[in-house]
Amino acid sequence: MIDATPRSRSPVITAQLTEPHYGEDMADLPDWMRPPREEGWFAEDLDRLPEAPRHTELIDGALVFMMAPQRSWHMRLIDGLTSALRTQAPANFEVSREMTVRLDARNRPEADVIVSSTSFDPDRTWFEASDVLLAVEVVSPESAFRDRTVKLRKYAAAGIRHHWLVEDEAVGPVVHVYELDEPTKAYVATGVFRDSLHVTVPFEIDVDLAKLVP
C-alpha cells in the first residue's frame, strides 16, 4: 500500500504527510498524488484522478493503492460469485464487481462484488451506501487487514445490511456471512459456509462453492 495523505487518525494508514512538511517525503511524488487540501481527499476526488491505478480506494481521506498483482484464485472467486448472483438476483437488483461505495465524504472503498437496488447506469463509477444491499469482500493477503477489520466496521456503520467475507482455506473458499444489527450499527455473524452456500437474504441464493475454483 502507498499512501500520500496528510496526517489522520486512520488505523489503515502507515505513512501520512502534511502540506507544511512535504519536503523530501513528497519530492518524488507526482502532482496528482499530492492532497488537494490539508484534510486530504474527499469521495468525489476519486473521479478526478485519471492517473491513479485501478482499484484505488479512499479510507479516512487517504488514497489506498492495490500494488500487489491479483491472484488467479481471487479473480476466479469474484467472477464466480458475480455470475451466480446475477443468475439468481431478482430483476430489480443490479450485481456489479469491483466498484467503489461512497460511505461518507471521506470514505469510498471498493467492494469485490456488490448487489444494489439501483438500475444499470453505464456511466456509474460508484454506489451510495444506501443503495447497497450486499457487499462482498474476497480476502487477499495484501488487503486482509482492511477487509477483516476496517471495511467490516465501515460497511456496518454506513448501514449496509448484508456483508460476506470470503476466505481462502485449505478446504476451498469459505464464506463468512454477516447481517447488520440496526440498534448497534454493527454486524452479527449469521453463518460460515463451506462447500455450498444457501441464504434467503437479501434474496434466495444458492452457490456451489466447491465449483467456483478448479
Side-chain angles (χ1 to χ4, degrees), residues 10 22 27-29 31 50 54 67-68 78 82 90 113 119 126 130 151 154 163-164 167 170 185 206-207:
S10 168
Y22 280 158
D28 296 330
L29 291 178
D31 289 341
R54 290 187 61 200
M67 302 304 293
I78 294 175
T82 302
V113 184
S119 57
W126 52 274
S130 58
K151 287 188 177 183
K154 289 185 177 295
H163 179 52
W164 297 355
E167 300 274 0
K185 288 296 182 184
D206 278 292
V207 180

Side-chain angles (χ1 to χ4, degrees), residues 93 114-117 129-135 160-163 202-203:
F93 288 177
I114 290 172
V115 177
S116 71
S117 59
S130 58
D131 293 328
V132 176
L133 305 174
L134 168 66
I160 295 176
R161 295 188 58 83
H162 303 285
H163 179 52
F203 52 89

Side-chain angles (χ1 to χ4, degrees), residues 188-206:
V188 176
T190 59
V192 179
F193 296 86
R194 297 174 173 86
D195 297 324
S196 63
L197 165 69
H198 175 73
V199 294
T200 58
V201 288
F203 52 89
E204 193 87 20
I205 301 171
D206 278 292

Side-chain angles (χ1 to χ4, degrees), residues 3 19-20 39 67 74 92 96 104-105 107 127 139 146 161 165 170 177-178 187 207 210 214:
D3 174 37
E19 182 76 37
E39 60 267 43
M67 302 304 293
H74 188 269
N92 58 328
S96 306
D104 55 43
N107 287 278
F127 290 93
V139 177
R146 294 193 301 280
R161 295 188 58 83
L165 200 61
V177 174
Y178 299 90
Y187 283 130
V207 180

Side-chain angles (χ1 to χ4, degrees), residues 9 18 20 34 36-37 40 42 56-57 62 74 78 89 96 98 129-130 132 154-155 159 190 203:
R9 295 183 293 275
T18 55
R34 300 173 188 272
R37 59 189 69 81
F42 290 157
T56 297
E57 303 179 280
H74 188 269
I78 294 175
S96 306
E98 298 172 313
S130 58
V132 176
K154 289 185 177 295
Y155 287 152
T190 59
F203 52 89

